[in-house]
Amino acid sequence: MKRSTLQREGQKWVDENIITEEQFEKLLAKYPSRDPYVLLLIFAILLTGIGLLIFIFSDWASELRFFRLLIVGITMAILYGVGNYFYRTRSKTLGISFITLGYIVFGAGLFLGLNIYNVDVHTPWPYIVLSIVGLILYFIFEHRFLFIIAIAVTTIGQIYSAISHSMFCWILLLILLFGFGHFVYHRAKSLYTYAFGISFLIQMAVLTSVED
């Protein structure tokens, strides 16, 4: 059986409680990916993402502000759609790559909107939004890569709050504890536990530095 077929069918078995998630992962481990083009495609997608970010933030058509945001929104929707298609039907790795790129474009569009409309940001609320969206994406697709990216954004947002606003954002801490903590407890994966622990320690260090 091909690994891609096992991924599709195995997830159905897990959903139908025929096998457990742990048994599914053990089965996948016996069928290592042999597609030599996956990494190349992921690398190409990431390079495309970098180029897209440069294009979004470049000084072009400054008078067409809404048009620029519209392009970002359409691009994000296309990336999410393509990512969902690949994730559900073909390759989870490629699917998550497109979804991650869509998440990056969403973040870029958010900060672009703040920039072109000269919105003053006195709190780390953009990172709160990004953290919640990242958590929702993980809830939908439940892929460890999305979990790591979302928890990293939450941690970066807390550091940004301390550096730029000299304040500790309790909302980001609550998102970490009750949002990510929920999945850490119920999924019981060591990677999630380590990521959660590192983020918590960093946030506690930020709290200590701000209070001092």
Side-chain angles (χ1 to χ4, degrees):
M1 181 182 292
K2 294 182 179 180
R3 181 182 173 87
S4 59
T5 304
L6 179 61
Q7 285 179 323
R8 292 196 301 270
E9 297 300 322
Q11 191 60 55
K12 294 179 183 178
W13 300 337
V14 173
D15 295 338
E16 295 172 1
N17 294 321
I18 298 176
I19 61 175
T20 65
E21 184 72 30
E22 183 179 358
Q23 290 172 328
F24 177 45
E25 291 181 356
K26 288 182 178 179
L27 284 173
L28 282 179
K30 294 182 179 294
Y31 291 85
S33 178
R34 296 180 179 179
D35 188 353
Y37 301 105
V38 169
L39 291 178
L40 180 61
L41 287 173
I42 294 175
F43 184 67
I45 291 171
L46 292 177
L47 285 180
T48 302
I50 294 173
L52 187 59
L53 290 177
I54 294 174
F55 177 70
I56 289 174
F57 285 102
S58 62
D59 188 18
W60 60 277
S62 58
E63 70 281 0
L64 300 177
R65 297 177 177 181
F66 177 76
F67 180 69
R68 295 174 67 181
L69 292 178
L70 181 62
I71 290 178
V72 172
I74 293 174
T75 302
M76 179 186 68
I78 291 174
L79 289 170
Y80 280 146
V82 173
N84 181 69
Y85 170 76
F86 276 108
Y87 185 86
R88 304 295 182 189
T89 62
R90 294 178 179 271
S91 169
K92 286 190 174 183
T93 302
L94 286 178
I96 291 301
S97 298
F98 279 104
I99 291 166
T100 301
L101 187 54
Y103 182 53
I104 293 173
V105 171
F106 169 75
L110 176 61
F111 286 106
L112 175 65
L114 296 176
N115 180 55
I116 64 178
Y117 288 107
N118 298 317
V119 178
D120 292 329
V121 179
H122 302 290
T123 63
W125 68 262
Y127 287 94
I128 295 175
V129 173
L130 285 173
S131 298
I132 293 175
V133 171
L135 199 58
I136 292 173
L137 287 176
Y138 173 75
F139 176 76
I140 295 174
F141 298 100
E142 290 204 20
H143 194 279
R144 59 183 179 274
F145 190 54
L146 291 176
F147 184 91
I148 297 301
I149 290 179
I151 205 170
V153 168
T154 305
T155 308
I156 293 172
Q158 195 66 266
I159 296 172
Y160 166 83
S161 178
I163 295 176
S164 299
H165 306 295
S166 299
M167 61 175 289
F168 183 82
C169 182
W170 292 97
I171 297 178
L172 286 173
L173 179 62
L174 291 176
I175 292 174
L176 175 69
L177 294 178
F178 296 101
F180 294 99
H182 168 80
F183 293 109
V184 170
Y185 177 77
H186 288 283
R187 299 299 180 269
K189 294 183 178 181
S190 57
L191 178 63
Y192 293 0
T193 303
Y194 291 143
F196 179 87
I198 292 172
S199 179
F200 181 76
L201 289 176
I202 292 175
Q203 294 207 31
M204 289 301 97
V206 171
L207 175 60
T208 303
S209 65
V210 170
E211 292 297 327
D212 291 342

